[in-house]
Amino acid sequence: MIIDLPDTTVSQVAKQLVKVREEGGAVALGRVLTLIISARNGVAEAAIDAANDASREHPMRVIVLTTGDGEARLDAQIRVGGDAGASEVVVLHAYGDAASNEESLVTGLLLPDAPVVAWWPEEAPTSPADSPLGKIAQRRITDAATAPDVRDRLALLGDSHAPGDTDLAWTRLTHWREQLAAVLDQPPFEEVTAVEVRGGSASPSTALLAAWLQMALEVPVTWSYEDPEHWQEGIKSVRLHRASGDILLERPTPGVAVLTQPDQPDHDLHLPRRTLRECLAEELRRLDPDVLYGRVITEGWEKLGPPETGE
């Protein structure tokens, strides 16, 4: 069910939410958190779709805030039932002076005594933790993959990092980190002497994986970008150098990785690029600070050298 509320106020939206719950029997107490999405109109629907899918694992209230120029006005829309997954979705379109105070627009719609997560699917504030929405959120989610200059964006995230910040470029690495850790847990338990990481041009996950490996293994790590036309393919390969021979985890085609080890047959591994819904759902599973990400984006990234020239 979709309810449109043109030229409205936050208090009227809150009253309508109460009315919808009373008439439809929706129980607000079943929501475990409030997710605030700050996005422009062009990307808001994709973010709402991902949040609706993730809500089946994390029932929540979703507040979507878009702003624009023009005469001061607030338009709202409430989505419940089949149009909102297992969540309640409140879409706010604020214009002119009505958009000047983002915090006041959402404060009256937050679930009482529930954690707040802020998500910027595209362009994020220079310092998420100091932004109006970031100040009221326990977790703040950004996505460096949407920035035009990856190195500048990662450097900015490192400089402005605060406990509770995270980035979906890091979340996309979960399966790669799991596979690499599993390989090193198998015999022979030899020391890794060097690492090479290759990835698509402008893929921030490539740089973060290189920084994590250098920090975790304390060995030299070289990393490079591939053809800029294929940056969307993300990470291409990781090569671990050891005395008995190299270990190569390579993804030659989307969705499938090949693990090559000395004196063993090659293994095909299911390693697709993670969807937006999967990354968001993973981040919503934990509401405490991601300490490891914090170390990688500050200490690890700072020590990582520049990328080498790709082929």
Side-chain angles (χ1 to χ4, degrees):
M1 180 173 62
I2 297 178
I3 302 171
D4 290 314
L5 300 171
D7 197 8
T8 187
T9 64
V10 174
S11 61
Q12 290 174 344
V13 175
K15 290 178 182 178
Q16 186 64 45
L17 276 170
V18 174
K19 182 179 179 181
V20 168
R21 287 199 302 270
E22 291 176 348
E23 293 179 352
V27 181
L29 295 178
R31 315 301 180 195
V32 298
L33 60 91
T34 300
L35 174 65
I36 303 173
I37 303 175
S38 177
R40 60 184 177 88
N41 287 329
V43 298
E45 287 301 326
I48 292 173
D49 289 342
N52 286 346
D53 286 342
S55 72
R56 292 174 172 82
E57 182 177 342
H58 311 279
M60 57 188 163
R61 174 174 293 174
V62 179
I63 303 174
V64 184
L65 177 61
T66 67
T67 59
D69 298 326
E71 184 180 351
R73 189 178 80 256
L74 176 64
D75 296 335
Q77 186 181 81
I78 297 175
R79 306 180 188 180
V80 294
D83 294 294
S87 64
E88 301 169 324
V89 178
V90 181
V91 183
L92 303 176
H93 301 284
Y95 302 93
D97 290 342
S100 61
N101 192 331
E102 294 182 336
E103 183 177 352
S104 67
L105 287 172
V106 302
T107 300
L109 301 175
L110 301 178
L111 290 174
D113 303 321
V116 177
V117 179
W119 175 30
W120 294 268
E122 197 175 53
E123 185 177 352
T126 301
S127 178
D130 295 326
S131 67
L133 298 181
K135 290 178 179 179
I136 61 176
Q138 282 77 32
R139 292 295 305 276
R140 296 164 293 275
I141 304 173
T142 55
D143 192 350
T146 61
D149 191 312
V150 169
R151 285 191 62 81
D152 286 350
R153 182 58 192 162
L154 290 178
L156 186 61
L157 288 174
D159 291 340
S160 64
H161 178 76
D165 290 355
T166 192
D167 195 274
L168 295 185
W170 171 253
T171 320
R172 295 185 184 101
L173 292 177
T174 298
H175 294 331
W176 279 89
R177 294 192 295 121
E178 289 173 347
Q179 291 292 348
L180 292 169
V183 168
L184 294 178
D185 279 342
Q186 301 173 8
F189 302 104
E190 294 180 319
E191 179 182 358
V192 175
T193 57
V195 177
E196 298 174 22
V197 180
R198 296 167 56 225
S201 176
S203 166
S205 296
T206 302
L208 290 177
L209 181 60
W212 172 69
L213 286 167
Q214 180 172 270
M215 190 178 69
L217 299 177
E218 298 182 342
V219 298
V221 175
T222 57
W223 60 293
S224 62
Y225 286 142
E226 299 299 300
D227 187 342
E229 295 182 0
H230 303 295
W231 69 266
Q232 67 274 17
E233 295 181 4
I235 299 168
K236 299 289 290 185
S237 67
V238 177
R239 184 183 294 272
L240 307 176
H241 295 272
R242 297 199 300 190
S244 62
D246 294 352
I247 297 174
L248 176 63
L249 180 61
E250 184 174 27
R251 186 164 58 185
T253 58
V256 178
V258 179
L259 176 62
T260 304
Q261 302 178 85
D263 303 321
Q264 293 189 33
D266 292 350
H267 297 282
D268 291 340
L269 304 174
H270 182 60
L271 194 61
R273 296 206 70 202
R274 305 191 73 190
T275 66
L276 188 59
R277 181 266 171 203
E278 291 172 330
C279 292
L280 179 61
E282 178 178 326
E283 287 301 334
L284 296 179
R285 289 185 197 121
R286 57 179 304 166
L287 297 174
D288 57 319
D290 189 335
V291 177
L292 180 57
Y293 166 74
R295 291 186 59 202
V296 170
I297 198 64
T298 53
E299 303 170 28
W301 168 252
E302 184 178 337
K303 297 177 182 177
L304 187 68
E308 296 186 346
T309 303
E311 297 177 355

